[in-house]
């Protein structure tokens, strides 16, 4: 039973050899092994307790709630009458919920596309040598550090019809003649939150892709250059295949971050106008916390959870290196 | 590196491209700072001024009066989140990297999955659960909720760091008769200082910048962090932009300070946390 790890102060070989040296020695080994195990578990206790309370319990409770007939009166108690699939039927039939699901897909696809293209271009730019690249690289992460609600509010300010910087710039340059109603035109508002979210996510893509590009061995690039490959060919045939694992992880994390977006949209449009920018997250908040239909909110939450967790197996597969040991990625 | 790099014209072009990108990236921050010094009349004049126009401190006066308590609240929440993350994550990361336990793979996988779970899913349930255990409208409740960003991230980043720590360090301590706890407390934690700082910085920023949990588990009474304070300025019909911009400027201060003081930690944390997952 005693499979002693190399982390323990004696290797498994020593334990096997010590078998012959009498029972007392073996007992001491077993005690050491037990102590090692016990200490490990004790170090893990706060984390396990936290995960159970802050993740496992809410997720299970969310599933339970989605099958319950909740009302403002049931908020004080942990359970409510069983409702079968009523909440899910509601979500499927509710035009706003369906629109929110569609918007979430559009918003996510658009964001990932924009963030990846711009982020990759900037990452490539920063691998070149030019004056100011270091300071540029450190400042590019600013959007990432700001509270998201602040970003939402700032963009609301910049996208105002009158007195908004964006309209003013476009009109001064002569690109448009009339102020654009970025936030109150239902056909435009989804584009507006998309632009804001691309702005927000580009630094993440830039930083991760840049650090992957830094890890491409110089010899590989030089070899491709010697073979007469042009810049585009080098990028497509040599560099992209090498950094593909990082591209995959980055897109995956980008997807997960984007389906979660909440603060930015609440700050910018609050889901409006006429629910044109309602995402699953914002509509779920509305159902639960404004209409007090926690059961319906929970059902919509589960749609989102399934959507996010589709990525989980892929994510685990891509980060399997870190499951066992320190998969170095450099930085 | 190659032919392109030797041409001064192309270098200049690169600098200009990077500069253009930075202008777009930093402009919103600039707009907040300029806006926070503008008078109400200017902000409602229907014209955007690229440079401060009739600067005034009136917005800051309003906001210091109205938001000082909220800034303090955000500080408490940020620090609380950092403490929670460290207390939970440092020992856990140590156990998950230096102890051979059956639960390691399962636990690390579940931490990766935890990072995927959307906050709104947790917020909806935590609101009801917190009602039941009397954590609604309390600092501990909000800090526990905010820890859902920081804890999984912190464990994974610290774990990656602990792998780089040679086992001999701990073995030497044990040979000298140190207990498991003493080894951890006296040897391992001091050696992990830089990783611990990285994690604490991020946990603080998470707690400071959190909006969704403040909006849900605080249910609008008593405790109000600055993020919620900014949100309440957004009226349906008219927004006091001066106050919004000045409080947004306050909300950006920690990010600015940390960017200057802890630049090294930030860059490490961002890449380590994401790719090493």
């Amino acid at each position: 039973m005693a499979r002693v790890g190399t982390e323990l102060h004696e290797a498994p070989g020593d334990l096997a050899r010590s078998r012959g040296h009498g029972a007392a020695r073996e007992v001491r080994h077993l005690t050491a092994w037990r102590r090692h195990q016990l200490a490990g578990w004790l170090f893990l206790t706060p984390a396990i307790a936290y995960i159970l309370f802050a993740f496992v319990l809410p997720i299970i409770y969310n599933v339970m709630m989605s099958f319950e007939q909740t009302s403002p009166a049931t908020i004080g108690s942990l359970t409510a009458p069983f409702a079968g699939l009523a909440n899910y039927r509601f979500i499927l039939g509710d035009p706003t919920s369906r629109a929110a699901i569609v918007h979430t897909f559009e918003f996510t696809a658009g964001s990932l596309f924009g963030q990846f293209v711009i982020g990759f271009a900037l990452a490539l730019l920063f691998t070149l040598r030019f004056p100011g690249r270091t300071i540029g690289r450190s400042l590019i992460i600013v959007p990432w550090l700001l509270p998201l609600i602040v970003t939402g509010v700032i963009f609301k300010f910049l996208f105002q019809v009158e007195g908004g910087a964006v309209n003013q710039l476009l009109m001064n340059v002569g690109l448009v003649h009339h102020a654009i109603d970025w936030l109150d035109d239902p056909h435009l508002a989804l584009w507006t939150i998309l632009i804001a979210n691309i702005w927000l996510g580009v630094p993440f893509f830039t930083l991760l892709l840049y650090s992957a590009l830094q890890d491409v061995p110089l010899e590989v690039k030089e070899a491709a250059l010697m073979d007469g490959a042009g810049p585009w060919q080098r990028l497509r045939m040599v560099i992209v295949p090498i950094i593909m694992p990082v591209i995959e992880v980055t897109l995956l994390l980008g997807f997960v971050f984007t389906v979660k977006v909440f603060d930015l949209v609440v700050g910018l449009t609050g889901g409006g106008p006429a629910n044109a920018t309602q995402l699953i997250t914002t509509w779920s908040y509305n159902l639960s916390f404004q209409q007090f239909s926690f059961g319906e909110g929970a059902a919509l939450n589960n749609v989102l959870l399934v959507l996010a967790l589709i990525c989980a197996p892929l994510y685990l597969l891509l980060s399997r290196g870190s499951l066992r040991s320190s998969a170095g990625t450099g930085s | 590196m190659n032919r392109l790099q030797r041409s001064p014209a192309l270098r200049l072009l690169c600098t200009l491209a990077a500069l253009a990108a930075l202008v777009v990236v930093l402009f919103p921050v600039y707009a907040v700072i300029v806006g926070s010094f503008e008078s109400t009349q200017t902000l409602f004049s229907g014209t955007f001024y690229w440079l401060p126009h009739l600067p005034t401190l009136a917005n800051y006066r309003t906001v210091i009066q109205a938001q000082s308590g909220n800034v303090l609240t955000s500080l408490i929440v940020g620090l609380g989140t950092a403490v929670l993350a460290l207390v939970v994550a440092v020992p856990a990361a140590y156990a998950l990297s230096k102890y051979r336990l059956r639960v390691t793979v399962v636990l690390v996988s579940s931490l990766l999955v935890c990072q995927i779970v959307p906050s709104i899913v947790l917020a909806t349930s935590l609101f009801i659960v917190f009602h039941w255990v009397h954590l609604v409208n309390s600092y501990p409740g909000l800090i526990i909720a905010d820890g859902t960003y920081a804890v999984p991230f912190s464990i994974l980043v610290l774990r990656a760091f602990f792998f780089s720590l040679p086992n001999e360090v701990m073995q030497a301590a044990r040979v000298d008769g140190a207990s498991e706890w003493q080894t951890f407390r006296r040897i391992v934690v001091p050696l992990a200082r830089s990783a611990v700082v990285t994690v604490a910085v991020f946990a603080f920023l998470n707690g400071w910048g959190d909006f969704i949990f403040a909006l849900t588990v605080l249910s609008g009474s008593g405790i109000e962090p600055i993020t919620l304070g900014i949100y309440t300025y957004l009226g349906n019909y008219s927004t006091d932009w001066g106050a919004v911009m000045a409080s947004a400027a306050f909300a950006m201060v920690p990010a600015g300070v940390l960017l200057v003081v802890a630049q090294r930690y930030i860059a490490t944390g961002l890449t380590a946390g994401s790719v090493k997952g």
Side-chain angles (χ1 to χ4, degrees):
Chain A
M1 65 158 273
R3 262 187 46 237
V4 183
T6 45
E7 286 86 353
L8 200 54
H9 40 284
E10 270 160 279
D14 294 335
L15 184 66
R17 249 176 284 128
S18 74
R19 284 257 155 83
H21 293 141
R25 183 89 189 261
E26 192 163 332
V27 166
R28 214 167 53 221
H29 275 291
L30 281 179
T31 334
W33 172 245
R34 268 208 201 116
R35 244 189 34 220
H36 173 88
Q37 288 282 303
L38 180 68
W41 279 97
L42 283 177
F43 283 134
L44 282 180
T45 309
I48 292 174
Y50 183 80
I51 291 170
L52 289 177
F53 183 71
F55 287 99
V56 177
L57 173 68
I59 290 169
I60 293 174
Y61 190 65
N62 194 70
V63 172
M64 267 172 57
M65 236 181 351
S66 70
F67 294 107
E68 286 174 350
Q69 180 65 52
T70 59
S71 66
T74 61
I75 290 173
S77 64
L78 270 184
T79 52
F82 184 69
L85 289 172
N87 293 320
Y88 290 94
R89 265 200 296 275
F90 167 82
I91 295 299
L92 289 177
D94 172 35
T96 313
S97 299
R98 282 159 53 173
I101 295 170
V102 173
H103 293 156
T104 301
F105 275 107
E106 293 170 344
F107 178 72
T108 306
S111 293
L112 282 183
F113 179 77
Q115 289 168 351
F116 179 76
V117 170
I118 300 172
F120 197 27
L122 286 179
L124 285 172
L125 176 67
F126 281 116
T127 56
L128 303 175
R129 293 219 174 126
F130 59 87
R133 72 196 276 258
T134 318
I135 181 93
R137 228 172 45 225
S138 49
L139 284 177
I140 204 107
I141 60 174
V142 164
W144 204 355
L145 300 175
L146 302 181
L148 289 164
I149 184 73
V150 170
T151 306
V153 168
I154 301 173
F155 274 94
K156 191 180 166 102
F157 180 65
L158 298 178
F159 278 118
Q160 287 180 100
V161 184
E162 282 175 19
V166 177
N167 274 341
Q168 190 131 333
L169 178 70
L170 291 177
M171 295 206 292
N172 286 356
V173 175
L175 279 176
V176 295
H177 297 292
H178 300 286
I180 299 173
D181 199 353
W182 293 99
L183 296 167
D184 288 326
D185 180 343
H187 301 289
L188 260 181
L190 196 62
W191 287 98
T192 309
I193 62 168
L194 188 62
I195 293 170
N197 194 55
I198 290 174
W199 179 86
L200 191 63
V202 160
F204 170 77
F205 279 78
T206 304
L207 199 68
L208 291 194
L209 295 172
Y210 170 78
S211 97
L213 287 171
Q214 288 302 96
D215 289 346
V216 175
L218 199 60
E219 307 88 71
V220 175
K221 285 188 262 190
E222 274 168 359
L225 197 64
M226 301 279 236
D227 290 344
W232 175 246
Q233 276 178 312
R234 261 178 293 157
L235 183 67
R236 222 174 61 92
M237 315 290 270
V238 181
I239 295 175
V240 169
I242 292 179
I243 66 167
M244 205 51 183
V246 179
I247 293 180
E248 286 165 3
V249 174
T250 311
L251 283 172
L252 198 68
L253 287 172
F255 175 84
V256 169
F257 291 156
T258 312
V259 295
K260 285 187 200 187
V261 167
F262 175 82
D263 306 20
L264 182 75
V265 179
V266 171
L268 253 174
T269 62
N275 294 326
T277 56
Q278 210 67 261
L279 302 179
I280 298 180
T281 52
T282 55
W283 186 239
S284 157
Y285 168 76
N286 191 299
L287 286 173
S288 300
F289 291 93
Q290 280 168 337
Q291 306 180 25
F292 295 105
S293 305
F294 280 88
E296 290 160 5
L300 190 57
N301 276 345
N302 283 336
V303 174
L304 180 64
L305 193 60
V306 168
L307 202 63
L309 290 182
I310 285 172
C311 297
L314 200 59
Y315 185 37
L316 291 180
L317 193 73
L318 288 172
S319 29
R320 64 190 176 283
S322 80
L323 284 182
R324 302 211 166 269
S325 68
S326 58
T329 35
S331 55
Chain B
M1 195 160 65
N2 60 47
R3 279 162 298 143
L4 282 177
Q5 291 296 286
R6 288 194 212 109
S7 147
L10 275 161
R11 280 176 163 211
L12 183 68
L13 203 67
C14 287
T15 305
L16 288 178
L19 199 65
L22 278 182
V23 166
V24 175
V25 163
L26 296 179
F27 180 72
V29 176
Y30 171 78
V32 168
I33 294 164
V34 171
S36 68
F37 289 107
E38 300 281 28
S39 68
T40 311
Q41 291 95 303
T42 309
L43 288 167
F44 282 91
S45 65
T47 312
F48 181 84
Y49 291 93
W50 303 96
L51 293 168
H53 178 76
L54 308 172
T56 164
L57 287 174
N59 301 320
Y60 282 97
R61 269 195 292 275
T62 313
V63 164
I64 286 171
Q65 219 158 49
Q67 300 285 337
S68 293
N70 297 352
V71 169
L72 189 68
T73 300
S74 293
L75 275 176
I76 296 172
V77 173
L79 291 173
T81 308
V83 170
L84 172 73
L86 293 184
V87 167
V88 172
V90 179
Y94 177 55
L96 291 175
S97 57
K98 295 298 184 192
Y99 285 78
R100 181 155 293 193
L101 302 166
R102 278 185 189 193
V103 77
T104 300
V105 172
V106 175
L107 209 56
V108 174
S109 313
S110 49
L111 287 168
L112 291 168
V113 174
C114 282
Q115 289 190 306
I116 296 177
V117 177
S119 300
I120 187 69
V121 176
L122 301 173
T124 313
S125 299
L126 284 177
F127 176 72
I128 309 275
V129 173
F130 280 3
H131 249 291
W132 193 246
V133 294
H134 301 293
L135 281 172
V136 174
N137 296 325
S138 74
Y139 282 106
L142 183 57
I143 290 166
I144 289 172
D146 285 351
T148 56
Y149 311 109
V151 167
F153 169 85
S154 304
I155 297 179
L156 294 168
V157 169
L158 286 168
R159 181 171 178 261
F161 174 84
F162 283 135
F163 276 124
S164 67
L165 214 62
N167 291 330
E168 288 75 29
V169 175
M170 279 100 66
Q171 281 164 15
R174 289 191 186 114
V175 168
D176 289 345
S179 70
E180 302 285 327
W181 172 252
Q182 284 168 330
T183 309
F184 171 70
R185 180 68 196 78
R186 302 256 169 81
I187 312 292
V188 174
V189 172
L191 283 173
R193 212 183 308 120
S194 70
V196 168
V197 172
T198 302
V199 159
V201 164
F202 275 89
F204 176 85
L205 283 181
N206 284 331
W208 172 273
D210 162 66
F211 171 68
I212 187 167
F213 289 115
L215 186 67
T216 51
V217 305
L218 294 181
S219 77
S221 71
I223 305 169
E224 188 180 84
I226 181 93
T227 48
L228 217 49
I230 295 172
Y231 180 61
T232 46
Y233 279 128
L234 293 183
N236 278 334
Y237 300 103
S238 76
T239 299
D240 183 354
W241 282 117
V244 169
M245 292 297 119
S247 32
F250 271 114
M252 298 192 308
V253 166
V257 170
L258 292 171
L259 196 66
V260 175
V261 177
Q263 161 78 61
R264 187 161 59 99
Y265 300 112
I266 288 175
T268 332
L270 291 180
T271 36
S274 320
V275 180
K276 284 174 185 153

